[in-house]
């Protein structure tokens, strides 16, 4: 089913929020970092994987989700967390390594969670797939009608966990949707160099589930494909594998020199930036530019407060480092 105008505006607003958020995080991240990959310096410690360009995957799927649906995401999680409705202040404090984060600053940007909306993510590639199947099986046993969605990069499709979890999800007819965000690169390794077949969606056939490919980072097409898969899961008809062609407009991580990108690739991707493209589509559909302008102004304001909150939150005391570890 195609998205109605309210859903389309929600998806646009969420994509804008996500992009403004990544821009704000990027600016804060580079403060005092010289060279850029000096992870110990500046207000945000550790690595930083930005999701700019991949927003259609997050909004097109999460537009269908309820708070009790589970989402597991990856080391590149901000766009998905935002679309799932994760508390932005707490999330930002975690990214800054501060005590107001859900893990008291110990998890950082790759290890965010929010039990209110059943969201978590992990820096370990393919890690979220098993827990997503577990959450889906629990929902099925409880009869809650909830689903689980496991977001992964295309690099994760070559992990053993991918094949094990797809198999078990199909055996159990679990209400789970596996979403591959195919940005064509696993760090600096191209998909062509790592993956035996061009379309990971074809792998679904090995596990007797539908495999659906969505081309061209197309927001509305993601919404339609995800809606079909989620309705199917809620109706008790089991899992789906969704492969979305997307692109990252930043390096693998902040400080990545991106020497592996073919000349001109980034410029051509920037020209196909999904956010201005969607804006144009909405204008062509008759949405007043002033309405889009209001949304843009509102979302720009929304990201300012969490960053200020995180900056002013306190840092954990050094001896609290041992509070959450097992010591013999
Ligand atoms: C199990 C495991 N192996 C290796 C790594 C190191 N690593 C971090 S990100 C990454 C590439 C992931 O590529 P992809 O899944 O396509 O996601 P993307 O970064 O493109 O979003 C690798 C190999 C890891 N974090 N976990």
């Amino acid at each position: 089913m195609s998205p109605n105008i309210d859903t389309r505006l929600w998806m646009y607003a969420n994509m804008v929020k996500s992009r403004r958020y990544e821009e704000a995080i990027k600016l804060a991240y580079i403060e005092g970092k010289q060279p850029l990959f000096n992870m110990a310096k500046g207000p945000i410690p550790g690595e930083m994987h930005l999701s700019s360009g991949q927003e259609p995957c997050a909004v097109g799927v999460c537009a269908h989700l309820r708070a009790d649906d589970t989402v597991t995401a990856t080391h590149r999680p901000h766009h998905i967390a935002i679309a799932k409705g994760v508390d932005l202040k707490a999330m930002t404090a975690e990214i800054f390594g501060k005590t107001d984060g859900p893990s008291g600053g110990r998890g950082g940007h790759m290890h965010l969670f929010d039990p209110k909306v059943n969201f978590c993510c992990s820096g370990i590639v393919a890690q979220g797939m098993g827990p997503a199947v577990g959450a889906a099986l629990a929902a099925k046993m409880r009869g809650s009608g909830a689903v689980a969605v496991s977001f992964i990069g295309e690099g994760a499709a070559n992990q053993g966990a991918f094949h094990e979890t797809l198999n078990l999800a199909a055996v159990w007819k679990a209400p789970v949707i596996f979403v591959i965000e195919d940005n064509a690169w696993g760090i600096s390794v191209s998909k062509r160099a790592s993956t035996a077949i061009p379309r990971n969606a074809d792998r679904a056939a090995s596990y007797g589930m539908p495999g659906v490919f969505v081309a061209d980072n197309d927001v509305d097409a993601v919404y339609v494909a995800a809606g079909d898969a989620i309705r199917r899961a809620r109706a008790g008809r089991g899992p789906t594998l969704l492969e979305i062609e997307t692109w990252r407009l930043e390096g693998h991580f902040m400080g990545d020199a991106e020497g592996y990108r073919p000349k001109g690739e980034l410029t051509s991707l920037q020209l196909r930036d999904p956010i201005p493209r969607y804006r144009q589509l909405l204008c062509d559909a008759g949405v007043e530019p002033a309405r889009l302008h209001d949304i843009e102004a509102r979302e720009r304001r929304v990201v300012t407060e969490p960053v200020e909150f995180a900056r002013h939150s306190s840092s954990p005391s050094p001896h609290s480092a041992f509070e959450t570890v097992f010591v013999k």
Side-chain angles (χ1 to χ4, degrees), residues 75-76 123-125 153-156 159 183 185-187 252:
H75 55 284
R76 198 180 303 288
I124 305 300
V125 170
E154 87 292 337
Q159 286 279 48
N183 63 20
W185 293 101
I187 310 184
H252 169 72

Side-chain angles (χ1 to χ4, degrees), residues 173-255:
K173 265 193 160 192
V176 58
I177 296 89
F178 302 101
V179 178
I180 301 175
E181 296 183 80
D182 181 357
N183 63 20
W185 293 101
I187 310 184
S188 54
V189 179
S190 73
K191 185 173 144 209
R192 221 171 316 120
S194 67
T195 306
I197 55 172
R199 289 272 70 89
N200 274 313
D202 294 344
R203 290 176 157 178
S206 310
Y207 305 104
M209 70 176 76
V212 181
F213 172 63
V214 179
D216 203 26
N217 220 6
D218 178 333
V219 184
D220 288 346
V222 174
Y223 177 86
V224 170
D228 290 344
I230 291 166
R231 268 189 300 280
R232 188 173 187 278
R234 289 204 207 281
R237 293 170 53 220
T240 299
L241 175 63
L242 206 62
E243 179 190 19
I244 304 169
E245 181 187 24
T246 190
W247 36 86
R248 64 166 157 83
L249 297 174
E250 296 284 349
H252 169 72
F253 64 160
M254 285 293 298

